[in-house]
């Protein structure tokens, strides 16, 4: 009896510990389709996350056409779809436990780098409380607090990814200003020089005698 | 009694396995070619990762993979071949993109491979068991301690975001002032070029006695 109680206490601690783990925001390069899978342990868990298209060098247009994001449940049903976006947050309640599939589709030929973050959060409810006698209501409150802090961290990761993209655009603008302006000066000087050379040639003796 | 204990042990082991693999992502490895994930990490951050290979069609023995972790300056931090599972840990010395790549060792083996990677940086990589043992805290107090660490991490992240925003603002403002200066300079160069042209051509025509 003693050992079973100790084992349950250990189990309770481990179950609590599982709610605290977190994965960092990874980036993956999407050529055509890239899928990431994540296992959801309990039905009813909230799966939240975000993704941002980070690295794209669009030359002319300022608006990227975006990538498509599709989430599929283990049964094959599509849980969420987002089309033509360059960065979004998502959140849904998992209808069942199992391996969920998060896919990025790139409809264009240029490869894109997508930074994503997925978090599966579980808050013990009354059913879990009834099953495990070592889980007090305070653990429920702690789990809710933890999920709230997780959402703040997720938001920060989203901001960080968008900041990285902004920085990329900013540095590209900076380089373009310098490079294109200096190229413009040189071209202007060369064009004026060529104009003068041409006019000189028009009035040079060899041409003038034949023409006028 | 022994049966009950054995059943319990099995459940605990299952939970432990689940604990290891909860909140980690799975990637599917193409038969040939490689799969890479990157992350931008700043300086002085602890990175802990665990990876396991599973064959989708249950081939025995499980096909092995090669793993390589590269730092932003090209140093190889971890390189392991012919493994079905492994782990690596390091503290970052450089800020930038860290690259983790997986290759299937034998492309002729049929079936898709799935790699499970449990990648943690910073606060998530902290070893709470040793902290609990050292300070002799457990249960609710340990959970609250974890929450406190999470709040500190949030605060540090905010400060980091603030400093990045300051850098971006700096670059934006330099670009802004440069655009103004370079446009005025461009106008000046245009006027100077036309004045130089006119002066040169006047002199040229005067020499040619056309004016």
């Amino acid at each position: 009896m003693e050992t079973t109680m100790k084992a349950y206490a250990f189990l309770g601690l481990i179950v609590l510990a599982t709610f605290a783990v977190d994965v960092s925001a990874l980036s993956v390069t999407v050529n055509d389709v890239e899928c990431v899978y994540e296992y959801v342990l309990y039905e009813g868990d909230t799966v939240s996350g975000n993704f941002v298209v980070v690295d794209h060098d669009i030359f002319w247009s300022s608006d990227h056409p975006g990538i498509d994001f599709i989430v599929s449940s283990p049964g094959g049903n599509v849980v969420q779809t987002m089309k033509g976006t360059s960065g979004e947050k998502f959140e849904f309640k998992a209808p069942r436990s199992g391996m969920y599939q998060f896919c990025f589709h790139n409809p264009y030929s240029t490869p894109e780098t997508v930074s994503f973050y997925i978090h599966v959060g579980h808050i013990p409810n009354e059913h879990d409380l009834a099953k495990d006698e070592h889980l007090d209501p305070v653990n429920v409150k702690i789990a809710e607090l933890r999920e709230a802090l997780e959402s703040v961290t997720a938001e920060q990761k989203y901001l960080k990814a968008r900041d990285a993209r902004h920085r990329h655009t900013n540095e590209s603008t900076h380089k373009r200003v310098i490079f294109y302006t200096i190229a413009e000066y040189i071209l202007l000087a060369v064009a004026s020089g060529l104009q003068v050379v041409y006019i000189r040639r028009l009035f040079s003796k060899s041409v003038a005698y034949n023409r006028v | 009694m022994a049966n009950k204990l054995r059943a319990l042990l099995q459940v605990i082991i299952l939970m432990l396995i689940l604990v290891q693999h909860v909140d980690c992502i799975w990637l599917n490895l193409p038969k040939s070619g490689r799969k890479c994930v990157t992350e931008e990490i700043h300086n002085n951050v602890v990175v802990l990762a665990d990876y396991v290979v599973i064959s989708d069609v249950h081939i025995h023995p499980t096909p092995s993979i090669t793993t390589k972790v590269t730092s932003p300056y090209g140093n190889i931090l971890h390189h392991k071949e012919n493994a079905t599972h492994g782990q690596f840990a390091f503290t970052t010395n450089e800020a930038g993109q860290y690259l983790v790549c997986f290759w299937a060792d034998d492309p002729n083996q049929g079936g898709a491979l799935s790699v499970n990677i449990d990648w943690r940086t910073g606060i998530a990589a902290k070893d709470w068991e040793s902290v609990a043992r050292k300070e002799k805290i457990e249960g609710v107090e340990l959970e609250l301690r974890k929450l406190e660490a999470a709040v500190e991490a949030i605060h540090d992240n905010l400060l980091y975001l603030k400093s990045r925003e300051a850098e971006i603002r700096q670059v934006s403002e330099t670009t802004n002032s440069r655009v103004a200066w370079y446009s005025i300079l461009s106008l000046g160069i245009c006027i100077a070029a036309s004045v130089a042209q006119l002066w040169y051509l006047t002199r040229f025509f005067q020499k040619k006695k056309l004016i």
Side-chain angles (χ1 to χ4, degrees):
Chain A
M1 194 51 206
E2 280 268 321
T3 47
T4 45
M5 269 185 65
K6 272 208 210 148
Y8 272 127
F10 187 54
L11 246 180
L13 265 179
I14 291 201
V15 166
L16 272 182
T18 68
F19 306 144
V21 300
D22 186 13
V23 102
S24 295
L26 292 170
S27 312
V28 83
T29 310
V30 181
N31 285 312
D32 188 21
V33 181
E34 281 294 333
C35 287
V36 171
Y37 304 83
E38 183 131 354
Y39 193 81
V40 176
L41 262 181
Y42 302 94
E43 174 193 326
D45 277 355
T46 313
V47 180
S48 60
N50 52 63
F51 66 95
V52 175
V53 177
V54 170
D55 183 55
H56 62 286
D57 277 320
I58 300 293
F59 196 70
W60 297 117
S61 72
S62 60
D63 211 11
H64 187 250
I67 58 167
D68 302 334
F69 177 64
I70 297 176
V71 183
S72 316
S73 76
N77 311 326
V78 170
V79 177
Q80 274 218 341
T81 318
M82 287 178 191
K83 288 207 182 286
T85 151
S86 59
E88 287 267 352
K89 295 188 333 193
F90 61 89
E91 185 175 330
F92 61 90
K93 225 169 150 89
R96 47 176 279 199
S97 63
M99 191 76 93
Y100 279 75
Q101 184 186 52
F102 301 83
C103 285
F104 301 101
H105 297 261
N106 184 10
Y108 298 91
S109 49
T110 46
E112 304 286 344
T113 307
V114 179
S115 158
F116 62 90
Y117 172 68
I118 302 168
H119 172 71
V120 179
H122 176 81
I123 298 178
N125 52 19
E126 306 83 32
H127 185 60
D128 296 324
L129 277 179
K131 256 200 298 192
D132 185 357
E133 62 217 21
H134 285 268
L135 223 50
D136 318 288
V138 75
N139 292 115
V140 178
K141 279 296 165 197
I142 288 182
E144 282 175 13
L145 243 184
R146 192 189 347 263
E147 285 309 305
L149 286 179
E150 270 307 320
S151 70
V152 177
T153 313
E155 197 73 46
Q156 280 189 332
K157 290 197 205 280
Y158 184 50
L159 277 178
K160 190 166 146 187
R162 276 170 61 141
D163 170 274
R165 189 172 130 157
H166 188 198
R167 188 192 192 86
H168 194 243
T169 312
N170 220 9
E171 287 178 352
S172 165
T173 308
H174 188 77
K175 280 202 208 89
R176 278 186 190 185
V177 160
I178 295 180
F179 180 65
Y180 289 177
T181 326
I182 302 220
E184 182 194 337
Y185 295 166
I186 293 174
L187 277 175
L188 195 62
V190 164
S192 341
L194 281 176
Q195 278 179 327
V196 168
V197 163
Y198 184 68
I199 291 179
R200 268 185 70 135
R201 265 194 39 160
L202 274 182
F203 286 93
S204 73
K205 288 210 168 74
S206 52
V207 178
Y209 282 148
N210 292 336
R211 201 181 283 245
V212 181
Chain B
M1 184 57 204
N3 278 341
K4 238 177 142 186
L5 212 57
R6 202 150 38 118
L8 210 61
L9 219 62
Q10 282 175 342
V11 169
I12 288 177
I13 290 177
L14 183 64
M15 283 304 283
L16 276 173
I17 292 174
L18 285 177
V19 161
Q20 269 190 322
H21 295 314
V22 136
D23 238 25
C24 0
I25 62 169
W26 292 80
L27 301 166
N28 55 346
L29 218 60
K31 266 188 263 184
S32 55
R34 60 184 193 169
K35 197 69 153 227
C36 289
V37 279
T38 66
E39 182 170 357
E40 181 154 356
I41 312 180
H42 37 118
N43 207 354
N44 241 359
V45 171
V46 178
V47 177
L48 207 64
D50 229 300
Y51 57 92
V52 176
V53 179
I54 289 189
S55 167
D56 281 348
V57 291
H58 304 292
I59 297 177
H60 280 292
T62 322
S64 60
I65 56 164
T66 308
T67 314
K68 193 144 101 162
V69 181
T70 323
S71 82
Y73 291 143
N75 306 324
I76 297 180
L77 295 164
H78 171 86
H79 183 64
K80 193 159 170 200
E81 310 197 9
N82 287 334
T84 55
H85 64 275
Q87 62 211 69
F88 52 89
F90 56 91
T91 311
T92 57
N93 294 323
E94 308 135 13
Q97 296 271 17
Y98 284 77
L99 182 70
V100 181
C101 285
F102 301 100
W103 288 264
D105 270 336
D106 190 2
N108 300 326
Q109 265 167 338
L113 293 176
S114 294
V115 181
N116 174 24
I117 188 170
D118 180 13
W119 170 272
R120 304 184 199 185
T121 57
I123 184 72
K126 195 156 174 183
D127 186 8
W128 287 108
E129 280 144 43
S130 66
V131 170
R133 256 181 287 129
K134 196 170 64 160
E135 311 202 6
K136 297 198 187 30
I137 52 178
E138 56 173 20
V140 173
E141 196 179 337
L142 183 62
E143 294 307 312
L144 288 176
R145 189 67 73 90
K146 287 187 198 169
L147 287 178
E148 185 189 353
V151 169
E152 273 176 30
I154 287 176
H155 188 214
D156 288 337
N157 267 335
L158 267 181
L159 292 175
Y160 173 70
L161 280 176
K162 203 166 114 173
S163 72
R164 293 275 284 203
E165 190 269 341
E167 282 171 22
I168 286 182
R169 190 168 26 96
Q170 180 80 12
V171 173
S172 273
E173 285 178 352
T174 335
T175 310
N176 189 22
S177 68
R178 279 192 188 176
V179 162
W181 271 117
Y182 287 7
S183 303
I184 294 178
L185 198 58
S186 153
L187 185 64
I189 285 189
C190 201
I191 293 176
S194 31
V195 164
Q197 275 183 326
L198 281 174
W199 175 78
Y200 182 79
L201 286 173
T202 327
R203 256 193 36 186
F204 178 68
F205 289 141
Q206 277 169 350
K207 263 204 294 195
K208 292 263 177 193
K209 311 262 194 311
L210 288 168
I211 297 182

